[in-house]
Amino acid sequence: MLQRILQITLLLLLAGTFSAKVFADAGCQLTRNLATGIEHWQLQSGKNTLVPLYKGQNAFLLQCDLAKDGVLTFQRPGLISHELDLGSEVGLTITAGQIAYALPQGLFKATLKLEAEHAYTPRFKWQYQQDFLTASQQHSLIMGGFYGLGFTLMLLSFVVGWRIKAPALKLYGFYIACLTAFLVLQEGQLFIFFSEDIAELHKFAYILSIGFTVLSASWFFSNFLYIKQDFPYLNYAVIGFSLVVCGCAILRALFAESLPLFWLGAIMGYGTLLIVTMVFIVSLVQAYRGTREAGLICIALSIVLFSLLFRVVLLNYSPFIQRYGFVLALAIESIILALALAQRVSRITQEKDIAEQAANLDPLCGIANRRGLNSKLATLAASDPDDQMLYAAFYIDADDFKSINDNYGHNVGDMALQQIAACLTKNMRQHDVYGRLGGDEFIAIASFKHIAEVYKKHTELKQAMSCVTFNLGNTERTVSASVGCAIFESLPDDLDDIISASDRSMYVEKNNRKLG
């Protein structure tokens, strides 16, 4: 009997020693007493532990045996109030994005009281104080870099978007603004600068930022991937679900105490997941169909989806990836989206420039048309801000051009006009304004310092246009043109005034040639 008692005592001592060693290694333990039994969670240094909370009051016994001063942290969203009671004193909170309580060195017990607005599962973690400070500095550095990137991209998008009238850029800027605000509020960075008094306002803004981030992202991707044009019914679904998510966020922010938060949260969560899935599938389809920049969108979304695995499923795989993976993924996504937008804006700008150039050129002669002349006229006037130059307009009209068309055909007439245009280009300076007005009429406008220069240029043009040659098969043909000249002390703003004055001079010149 005595031997039996000694065996049991020895086993109890060994079990106690083993339990003490495990507890010392673990550092901290959370215990909750429920009517159905006792729940335990072993908190390991530097690792997240999921602890489910019930709606309303939750009380835990925190037992720690720390070699040095430590810090207990857990997520702020979802909590109404929190308190750590060390018995003789209330736990001291540390200024940080998450809720952080200072833990004393040694063996101690404390009561942790948490009031949750709904049932959810936050992450708890304890660290030694020095490790916490190092991790906080790393976190501030990483998040500061992202906030700077977000602000820069947002500002750039708004400025460039309004300047070049690109709706996709403005939508991207709005999305980045909402995304940056969401991450600032999610990480609790404002609590570093403000007290806990802003908790209610912070929670309100955080919930709204979720809805507006989803809505702005949906609108941006709808525009950028041409979902509205190529998949109109799917576009209704994407925008519709985003409005539902945003509406739920507004309801949850305004009526948190009177509405079923679980169902609103579920609609927001699953609605967002559905939107992301639809947009990702569309990006794959558009990339397959050859839609430009859709491949970059597909890569950006795949990175975000990959990071969500570590945020939702693989919670304790890597504390660093779990905490920063989603933020880094969003930063990479923002950069990739910016690259995709830059490519599209560059391409659209080039196409716009080509179209603008084509609209300003005469397709037959390759020189400016009337529209191009009007746009270049302002540039010529701006080159002489002191108004010290003389201006001359040379009006050129082909002689007997109708007979060329009647006798040889319009193709030969076109060749004659092209040679007149080439002759005009050859005899004018690069900064002069010249072009075809239409039919067989051309004009050149130039600035001069002295009146003698005007007369000299007029003589040169008359000589050059008196015999313009071109080849018709093996035969050399000639065409001539009359050149009128009008001189202005200041350049008229209206091209028609210039044409009218030089046109009269040209007819005088044409009549003189006929009489001479």
Side-chain angles (χ1 to χ4, degrees), residues 275-310:
I275 292 167
V276 173
T277 303
M278 287 190 292
V279 173
F280 180 69
I281 292 172
V282 169
S283 70
L284 286 173
V285 174
Q286 294 291 57
Y288 176 77
R289 294 170 61 175
T291 302
R292 293 182 180 181
E293 294 88 36
L296 285 173
I297 298 294
C298 191
I299 293 171
L301 288 174
S302 65
I303 293 172
V304 173
L305 289 174
F306 179 76
S307 71
L308 286 173
L309 291 175
F310 292 94

Side-chain angles (χ1 to χ4, degrees), residues 211-490:
F212 282 107
T213 299
V214 174
L215 182 62
S216 61
S218 300
W219 247 307
F220 165 69
F221 286 117
S222 173
N223 180 280
F224 195 83
L225 291 171
Y226 304 112
I227 300 178
K228 184 177 181 179
Q229 294 89 333
D230 297 344
F231 310 97
Y233 292 109
L234 185 61
N235 183 69
Y236 290 140
V238 170
I239 300 301
F241 277 115
S242 67
L243 288 171
V244 169
V245 170
C246 191
C248 288
I250 294 172
L251 290 174
R252 186 173 175 180
L254 292 175
F255 309 106
E257 297 180 359
S258 56
L259 292 176
L261 298 182
F262 173 79
W263 290 110
L264 286 176
I267 293 171
M268 290 172 63
Y270 286 107
T272 303
L273 181 61
L274 185 59
I275 292 167
V276 173
T277 303
M278 287 190 292
V279 173
F280 180 69
I281 292 172
V282 169
S283 70
L284 286 173
V285 174
Q286 294 291 57
Y288 176 77
R289 294 170 61 175
T291 302
R292 293 182 180 181
E293 294 88 36
L296 285 173
I297 298 294
C298 191
I299 293 171
L301 288 174
S302 65
I303 293 172
V304 173
L305 289 174
F306 179 76
S307 71
L308 286 173
L309 291 175
F310 292 94
R311 189 177 177 87
V312 178
V313 181
L314 305 174
L315 291 174
N316 288 313
Y317 180 79
S318 168
F320 183 85
I321 294 177
Q322 198 280 324
R323 185 170 187 183
Y324 299 114
F326 190 59
V327 175
L328 291 174
L330 290 175
I332 294 170
E333 181 212 36
S334 301
I335 294 172
I336 292 176
L337 292 181
L339 289 174
L341 271 170
Q343 284 188 10
R344 177 163 295 182
V345 169
S346 176
R347 177 169 53 82
I348 291 173
T349 304
Q350 288 178 0
E351 292 172 353
K352 198 174 180 181
D353 289 342
I354 292 171
E356 183 76 17
Q357 188 177 5
N360 288 332
L361 284 180
D362 181 80
L364 176 63
C365 298
I367 58 176
N369 56 17
R370 184 181 285 265
R371 186 175 185 271
L373 287 167
N374 271 310
S375 63
K376 288 183 177 182
L377 201 60
T379 306
L380 182 63
S383 65
D384 181 29
D386 299 329
D387 201 21
Q388 296 179 350
M389 306 290 284
L390 289 171
Y391 295 92
F394 305 101
Y395 196 100
I396 299 115
D397 183 83
D399 298 327
D400 299 322
F401 185 71
K402 185 176 182 302
S403 64
I404 296 175
N405 279 334
D406 293 342
N407 296 328
Y408 301 104
H410 288 282
N411 290 337
V412 176
D414 289 346
M415 292 174 63
L417 292 175
Q418 290 170 345
Q419 290 307 310
I420 292 174
C423 181
L424 180 60
T425 302
K426 182 179 178 181
N427 284 275
M428 298 306 295
R429 298 166 298 187
Q430 188 175 1
H431 61 274
D432 294 335
V433 175
Y434 54 91
R436 183 186 177 200
L437 295 171
D440 59 347
E441 298 171 339
F442 299 80
I443 194 169
I445 307 164
S447 59
F448 301 93
K449 290 183 178 179
H450 308 288
I451 191 70
E453 295 177 347
V454 179
Y455 295 145
K456 181 181 177 183
K457 177 56 68 176
H458 189 200
T459 302
E460 289 176 0
L461 284 174
K462 286 196 293 183
Q463 290 176 350
M465 295 294 174
S466 64
C467 186
V468 179
T469 61
F470 61 97
N471 293 322
L472 181 59
N474 296 325
T475 306
E476 188 176 78
R477 299 288 182 182
T478 62
V479 63
S480 64
S482 300
V483 182
C485 176
I487 301 173
F488 307 93
E489 290 186 357
S490 60

Side-chain angles (χ1 to χ4, degrees), residues 23 75 85 97 153 157 163 173 183 220 224 378 438 450 468 480 498:
F23 179 73
Q75 295 164 292
D85 186 0
L153 290 175
S157 301
R163 188 168 183 177
L183 287 174
F220 165 69
F224 195 83
H450 308 288
V468 179
S480 64
I498 299 173

Side-chain angles (χ1 to χ4, degrees), residues 50-110:
L50 294 175
V51 179
L53 298 182
Y54 301 108
K55 181 179 180 180
Q57 294 291 341
N58 293 262
F60 297 91
L61 175 64
L62 175 66
Q63 303 176 76
C64 297
D65 187 6
L66 306 181
K68 296 178 290 185
D69 290 343
V71 178
L72 175 69
T73 59
F74 47 92
Q75 295 164 292
R76 190 182 304 272
L79 288 179
I80 299 173
S81 63
H82 54 86
E83 180 184 337
L84 182 65
D85 186 0
L86 292 168
S88 59
E89 58 180 332
V90 177
L92 179 66
T93 57
I94 298 174
T95 301
Q98 293 183 310
I99 296 173
Y101 278 104
L103 302 178
Q105 179 182 351
L107 180 64
F108 68 89
K109 294 182 180 180

